[in-house]
Amino acid sequence: MPVKGLRPASVILGAGLALAASAAPAVGAADTTPPSAPGTLFHCPLPGAPGSGLGVGVSLCWGAATDNVSVTGYDVQIKQDGVFTAVRTTTGTGSIVSGLTLGQLYTFRVIARDAAGNAGPPSNEVTQAANYLSGMSPSAPPPSPTPIDRTPPTRPEGLAPFSVPINGAAGLTWTRSTDDVAVSGYDVYAWIDGAFGKVPAQVSEQSGDRILAIVYDLTPGHDYLFYVVAKDAAGNLSAPSDLARQRAMVEPPAASPSPGAGTDTTPPGTPTGLTSVSGMDIPGGVFLAWNTVSDNSGVPPTYDLFRRTDHGYAYEGENGIPRDIVSGLEGGKPYTFQVVARDAAGNLSNPSAPYTAVAQSGGTSSPSPSPSQPSDAACKVTYAPTTWGGGFTATVTITNTGTAAIAGWKLGFSFPLASQRVTNGWSAVWTQSGAAVTAENYEWNKTLKPGQSLYLGFNGAYTGANPTPAAFTLNGTTCS
């Protein structure tokens, strides 16, 4: 499935850097040793000629890989629905991926290849928001873009099963979601082989506010758990619906098994009374309990516990008794759970009603503090501008040279001249007041561990000269 906002490969390959196809294995070659993983992958501006019109995208750099013969190229891969797909191939250690959606986050990695076709292990992953590429002249920015839509649709409500007379099909219905612009579609997820995954579904809108979906090619007579997520044209995803159980249709219907026939198709009872239990000290966790249910087999069922996440569900494990302790949560934060009973034949109960519990305070994943600088922390900042007439691109590297992690950071500096200004930036929230410039972390890059470096930057404009700032601070502490 293509990445939302990503142009066809022919467009991407025609932008920015030259393409060099991976070399095919030499005839009779005996080289079976793959290259090493590329060096650290990071976001970096790759300047092009002003006005070259590379548009919106992400530029990437990485360290060279090594090989017992030679490295012939690198595949730049982008994550699509949890799977990495190559979108660029280059012989250099940098690449531009254009044709992306302004402000949308994309995850990349790089692998190296040699002449024999051996592929090495992947680099680290980098998640970066698409922005105007540095090949565009900052002194002549494009017209103001349409405001970025960051509002997700409302979560689908009232997910419920309905019967479909098609062998191996399951029907679902729910209440239509709403959006500040428009809902562009729905993704349906099913619990298969111990994990949730997106499944193809025929979705149709009905009169009123109901949505119907049919999921095909399931195992007839098998029970499945489903949830639904709404999405809009900007790629925003809703919170997930509640869980719902549905059995894939057996068509024509099989005769009901006679007693003692050995075929158990009766699900356990639905768990009720899900609640939190007090009196136990579980920092960053909750103690949950629910009422025991029975099964026609006479054997107590197993219970599967699920926790709602931003756009899906996390599996918290199975239990032979109606209780569970969930740890590793963020203290003071609410979490929503549902529990499902499962018998020895694999029949599933309907999910319990959702229950929201607040994790106890004091966990290891407690809320991140406001940007602060540990007393023994130190920092280093490098500033590397690439300048042309009236405009420039600056790459800024922040390194934690102290012994403690920095949880939340704010970089500050001042331009020497009033005529210097930031036009747009990446990997941070950039603001400028007079000559003073600040860059504050995003949620995904707020932690800076000892020895770790962050790579950010901006496009700027100037008049006359473009001198380098004299000093930089991180959370108020001067950096070297």
Side-chain angles (χ1 to χ4, degrees), residues 181-265:
V181 179
V183 175
S184 63
Y186 299 88
D187 290 331
V188 179
Y189 292 80
W191 179 256
I192 300 176
D193 296 330
F196 277 113
K198 186 158 60 176
V199 292
Q202 178 182 320
V203 179
S204 59
E205 299 190 8
Q206 305 298 302
S207 58
D209 63 351
R210 299 303 293 175
I211 303 293
L212 299 183
I214 301 176
V215 181
Y216 299 95
D217 299 324
L218 302 174
T219 301
H222 187 76
D223 287 340
Y224 294 87
L225 292 177
F226 294 95
Y227 70 85
V228 178
V229 173
K231 57 188 178 182
D232 64 19
N236 299 303
L237 300 178
S238 74
S241 70
D242 292 342
L243 294 175
R245 165 198 173 268
Q246 173 64 309
R247 178 168 292 177
M249 177 62 71
V250 178
E251 184 66 26
S256 298
S258 57
T263 304
D264 178 10
T265 61

Side-chain angles (χ1 to χ4, degrees), residues 23-302:
V27 176
D31 178 14
T32 60
T33 303
S36 68
T40 301
L41 175 66
F42 59 96
H43 175 261
C44 64
L46 296 174
S52 56
L54 297 180
V56 173
V58 173
S59 56
L60 302 165
C61 295
W62 58 88
T66 59
D67 185 64
N68 64 319
V69 180
S70 65
V71 174
T72 58
Y74 299 89
D75 291 343
V76 179
Q77 301 179 338
I78 191 168
K79 183 179 283 188
Q80 307 180 40
D81 298 322
V83 177
F84 280 96
T85 303
V87 293
R88 291 298 311 274
T89 303
T90 179
T91 56
T93 55
S95 179
I96 288 175
V97 180
S98 63
L100 306 182
T101 299
L102 182 65
Q104 184 167 321
L105 293 174
Y106 297 87
T107 299
F108 301 90
R109 73 180 188 186
V110 177
I111 64 170
R113 296 185 181 273
D114 63 18
N118 300 306
S123 69
N124 59 295
E125 298 178 14
V126 166
T127 299
Q128 177 63 37
N131 209 324
Y132 295 111
L133 292 165
S134 58
M136 301 183 68
S137 172
S139 60
S144 298
T146 302
I148 299 172
D149 177 12
R150 301 188 185 278
T151 303
T154 59
R155 67 186 293 259
E157 300 283 356
L159 181 64
F162 76 92
S163 296
V164 179
I166 301 172
N167 197 49
L172 300 167
T173 180
W174 62 88
T175 302
R176 187 192 316 272
S177 295
T178 59
D179 186 64
D180 63 327
V181 179
V183 175
S184 63
Y186 299 88
D187 290 331
V188 179
Y189 292 80
W191 179 256
I192 300 176
D193 296 330
F196 277 113
K198 186 158 60 176
V199 292
Q202 178 182 320
V203 179
S204 59
E205 299 190 8
Q206 305 298 302
S207 58
D209 63 351
R210 299 303 293 175
I211 303 293
L212 299 183
I214 301 176
V215 181
Y216 299 95
D217 299 324
L218 302 174
T219 301
H222 187 76
D223 287 340
Y224 294 87
L225 292 177
F226 294 95
Y227 70 85
V228 178
V229 173
K231 57 188 178 182
D232 64 19
N236 299 303
L237 300 178
S238 74
S241 70
D242 292 342
L243 294 175
R245 165 198 173 268
Q246 173 64 309
R247 178 168 292 177
M249 177 62 71
V250 178
E251 184 66 26
S256 298
S258 57
T263 304
D264 178 10
T265 61
T266 303
T270 302
T272 60
L274 178 61
T275 188
S276 56
V277 179
S278 60
M280 181 178 293
D281 187 20
I282 313 171
V286 294
F287 184 8
L288 298 171
W290 53 92
N291 298 325
T292 301
V293 301
S294 60
D295 185 64
N296 67 312
S297 66
V299 178
T302 299

Side-chain angles (χ1 to χ4, degrees), residues 410-422:
K410 182 176 181 180
L411 175 73
F413 63 87
S414 293
F415 284 127
L417 301 178
S419 60
Q420 294 171 289
R421 66 183 186 277
V422 174

Side-chain angles (χ1 to χ4, degrees), residues 307-318:
R307 172 174 54 83
R308 186 186 300 168
T309 63
D310 289 344
H311 307 300
Y313 282 85
Y315 182 51
E316 295 293 350
E318 65 177 32

